[in-house]
Amino acid sequence: MTSDYQMVWDNCLRTIKKNVNPQSFKTWFEPIKPVLLDREVLTIQVPNKFFFEWLEEHYVQLLKKSIRQELGERGRLVYHIPENGNGHDALKSALPKVSGKPSSEKDSEPVPGAFDAEMIKNPFVIPGIKRIKVEPQLNPNYVFDNFIEGDCNRLARNAGLAIAKKPGGTAFNPLVIFGEVGLGKTHLAQAIGNEVVSRFDNKAVLYVSAEKFTNQIIQAIKNNSVNDFVNFYQMIDVLIIDDIQFLSGKQKTQEIFFHIFNQLHQNGKQIVLTSDRAPKDLEGIEDRLISRFKWGLSADLQAPDLETRMAILEAKMEDEGVDIPTDVLEFICYNIKNNIRELEGVMISLLAQATLIRRDIDIELAKEVIRNFVTTINKEITVEFIQQLVAEHFNVPVEKLHHETRKRNIVIARQLSMYLAKKLTNKSLKSIGEQFGGRDHSTVIYSCKAVQDMMDTDMIFKDTVEEVEKKLKMSLNT
Ligand code: ADP
Ligand code: MG
């Protein structure tokens, strides 16, 4: 047996890799760090409790198998969840008992009590009142089915789904979904609510914007009915508050919310919050609230990559029953990058234009529409733009194109940028060379030839060049 935890873990990973698809491997196993090996116990660090639960639920047998393969029948795995990974409990034994059970049996419960919400009787709710039907205020269109999964939202989406299946019964309480505007916070938060409603008919779900919540409180204070207000909120099983950054600076509202939060949390009720920034970056919100926001899981939504944008838009169009040529779809998604709401906006205008003026939906029309959405459009394709796009495509930092290097992929990226600059701009050889760290015109000629030669002999490279060229032309800069 080796004493090197890294090596043991690497070997485990090799086994695991063979047994899961690459995407899952990347999502769930690459972020794991081995930290300690003590006899037959390997400690691995996972980013947060959510990971721990996910691994336990989906991969426990595989983990068990691989760890035993490495460390023998008594091999065990212990998880370490770092403090800032929203764990209070530092160590969790994943495989408490490993003795002779058949491997199909699920014998992998987390440490007893680790995640059990403490059940305390709610002193406020009068028996009988519990039955009152609460109108959830949900938009039925926001569901998981039409919330497309991508790298940008995988953690948040999966955590949301886990919660919807077991409201209040996971470690993700509260779940804080944060991210910039238009990336799907409201959709996801509502999808959780809708999913709970469809799965359980005895759970009171309530969606409310932080703004509305605040107004209700102001009203309640006016009417002297804060107690009723608080009592009402305490009956909720799944409370979803959207855009909590709105509570910033509103002291009285925060105080009342703090009270409601504690009661719900203590009673094992689920709280879902959305915010335009990470809890730690919220300003004007009391520390005691922020620290509670960090109790569960904070999961961010990022800007989606091209494939995800296309999948989202395609799904939306299918919903609308509209057929849009793929190149137009692609064109729009190339150009609207940061905001899904904007993506939809473009699409809707496009449809409107097409119906109103009876024009075919084509790239020309799409360009016209997008111009209303994108503020800066360069009329001309520039050398810088080419460099940027090529660097992005080859996944190299753009500055590298200016420096001397022998790294093959950088050399190729640089030569290709020069080739495309020559082909797609009116710049002279001399000025192109200058924009690549002050090279002279002969380097540019040499690069163009090199690219041409490679294209003639290497089909894959030729495809790459065509793809990049297409991207450039697709972009609004043409
Ligand atoms: P936010 O609340 O973060 O500002 P929204 O939830 O309002 O964003 O989302 C903006 C639009 O983008 C909505 O119409 C939503 O349906 C859509 N959207 C966002 N993410 C996705 C996704 N992953 N799949 C499908 N639609 C999405
Ligand atoms: Mg929103």
Side-chain angles (χ1 to χ4, degrees):
M1 194 195 305
T2 169
S3 62
D4 184 351
Y5 53 81
Q6 187 67 51
M7 205 170 98
V8 170
W9 182 239
D10 285 346
N11 289 341
C12 289
L13 282 181
R14 225 161 284 137
T15 309
I16 291 165
K17 203 167 192 171
K18 284 186 211 136
N19 287 283
V20 301
N21 70 44
Q23 189 58 59
S24 303
F25 185 80
K26 193 171 152 219
T27 307
W28 301 111
F29 295 96
E30 277 184 7
I32 297 176
K33 277 200 225 99
V35 289
L36 189 76
L37 181 68
D38 184 8
R39 293 165 201 247
E40 53 273 294
V41 181
L42 176 70
T43 302
I44 56 174
Q45 178 173 313
V46 296
N48 51 48
K49 275 191 193 169
F50 178 54
F51 257 79
F52 163 69
E53 291 200 342
W54 189 270
L55 291 168
E56 279 288 283
E57 191 169 330
H58 298 270
Y59 299 109
V60 72
Q61 295 305 342
L62 180 58
L63 282 167
K64 197 184 286 187
K65 184 180 133 199
S66 49
I67 204 83
R68 285 185 186 164
Q69 202 168 296
E70 288 311 305
L71 299 174
E73 272 307 293
R74 301 186 48 185
R76 284 202 306 139
L77 199 56
V78 166
Y79 293 91
H80 176 244
I81 302 168
E83 267 315 308
N84 60 5
N86 54 57
H88 319 293
D89 331 77
L91 289 174
K92 304 238 180 318
S93 167
L95 310 169
K97 289 177 246 71
V98 288
S99 56
K101 283 195 186 171
S103 65
S104 63
E105 205 174 315
K106 198 165 160 47
D107 57 353
S108 59
E109 282 131 33
V111 178
F115 296 120
D116 288 351
E118 214 184 320
M119 291 310 285
I120 296 173
K121 268 245 165 301
N122 182 348
F124 293 95
V125 176
I126 309 150
I129 283 198
K130 258 210 136 128
R131 292 269 129 80
I132 286 180
K133 185 127 182 57
V134 176
E135 170 55 50
Q137 315 283 342
L138 291 163
N139 177 342
N141 298 322
Y142 287 143
V143 291
F144 277 105
D145 265 356
N146 59 17
F147 191 78
I148 309 287
E149 180 168 333
D151 284 344
C152 55
N153 62 30
R154 184 161 287 112
L155 180 70
R157 190 182 187 281
N158 283 320
L161 206 51
I163 278 177
K165 291 179 183 163
K166 246 166 114 187
T170 66
F172 332 134
N173 201 12
L175 174 65
V176 181
I177 301 163
F178 68 95
E180 285 177 26
V181 72
L183 295 182
K185 300 181 295 293
T186 298
H187 187 145
L188 182 54
Q190 295 231 15
I192 296 170
N194 278 312
E195 186 72 22
V196 173
V197 168
S198 77
R199 279 172 183 267
F200 306 88
D201 38 52
N202 59 349
K203 289 221 186 286
V205 176
L206 181 65
Y207 167 89
V208 62
S209 68
E211 186 176 359
K212 188 166 168 193
F213 182 80
T214 307
N215 290 335
Q216 287 174 346
I217 289 181
I218 295 171
Q219 213 50 47
I221 294 172
K222 247 203 214 144
N223 300 339
N224 225 342
S225 59
V226 172
N227 270 350
D228 292 346
F229 176 86
V230 171
N231 286 347
F232 170 77
Y233 271 88
Q234 277 165 358
M235 297 185 323
I236 307 301
D237 296 299
V238 178
L239 176 61
I240 303 163
I241 303 191
D242 206 355
D243 290 318
I244 44 155
Q245 74 278 358
F246 187 83
L247 299 185
S248 157
K250 310 205 165 59
Q251 215 189 340
K252 187 72 190 160
T253 305
Q254 288 181 34
E255 197 183 309
I256 295 173
F257 178 51
F258 179 73
H259 187 60
I260 292 170
F261 184 105
N262 288 339
Q263 288 296 330
L264 291 177
H265 198 273
Q266 263 175 23
N267 286 308
K269 304 300 179 60
Q270 181 68 48
I271 300 158
V272 177
L273 307 171
T274 78
S275 163
D276 69 353
R277 64 202 77 175
K280 69 172 171 51
D281 299 328
L282 281 166
E283 281 159 20
I285 298 220
E286 292 177 38
D287 286 346
R288 56 180 190 168
L289 265 176
I290 292 190
S291 84
R292 273 161 180 75
F293 295 166
K294 295 185 198 155
W295 276 358
L297 176 74
S298 301
D300 68 331
L301 296 176
Q302 306 232 331
D305 57 24
L306 178 68
E307 283 71 28
T308 313
R309 295 200 294 277
M310 298 224 356
I312 291 173
L313 208 49
E314 224 165 343
K316 299 256 179 213
M317 288 305 104
E318 216 176 281
D319 265 6
E320 303 277 333
V322 190
D323 240 2
I324 295 238
T326 311
D327 62 334
V328 177
L329 204 76
E330 217 176 335
F331 176 77
I332 295 170
C333 293
Y334 268 125
N335 287 292
I336 308 286
K337 296 203 167 104
N338 298 322
N339 187 318
I340 299 167
R341 194 174 293 146
E342 210 164 87
L343 205 60
E344 287 173 1
V346 168
M347 211 70 221
I348 290 165
S349 318
L350 193 61
L351 294 180
Q353 295 271 347
T355 344
L356 290 176
I357 52 178
R358 290 171 199 282
R359 267 180 66 179
D360 283 342
I361 298 182
D362 56 15
I363 293 198
E364 266 322 300
L365 183 60
K367 262 185 204 176
E368 285 169 30
V369 170
I370 289 181
R371 280 179 212 284
N372 297 325
F373 283 81
V374 181
T375 39
T376 50
I377 298 162
N378 304 324
K379 283 276 153 47
E380 262 176 61
I381 212 162
T382 63
V383 176
E384 272 140 23
F385 184 65
I386 294 173
Q387 291 171 332
Q388 232 173 48
L389 211 133
V390 171
E392 206 176 287
H393 191 92
F394 282 78
N395 207 3
V396 298
V398 72
E399 322 81 67
K400 293 265 166 129
L401 300 182
H402 305 294
H403 303 143
E404 206 53 63
T405 176
R406 276 168 218 263
K407 279 219 170 123
R408 177 105 182 115
N409 63 334
I410 296 173
V411 172
I412 290 181
R414 181 166 53 229
Q415 290 180 338
L416 179 56
S417 304
M418 289 185 185
Y419 167 89
L420 290 169
K422 183 70 203 114
K423 186 166 172 187
L424 303 173
T425 73
N426 301 323
K427 293 272 156 96
S428 66
L429 292 169
K430 181 165 179 285
S431 81
I432 292 174
E434 273 162 9
Q435 285 190 258
F436 286 84
R439 289 173 163 79
D440 65 18
H441 74 281
S442 62
T443 313
V444 183
I445 295 178
Y446 175 82
S447 296
C448 291
K449 276 188 73 180
V451 169
Q452 195 58 59
D453 287 349
M454 263 190 289
M455 281 172 70
D456 291 343
T457 51
D458 180 344
M459 286 310 284
I460 295 174
F461 181 72
K462 187 159 180 260
D463 285 348
T464 308
V465 176
E466 279 165 7
E467 202 185 321
V468 175
E469 202 173 324
K470 184 173 153 206
K471 265 195 197 172
L472 281 163
K473 287 187 175 153
M474 274 281 188
S475 79
L476 267 187
N477 297 45
T478 48

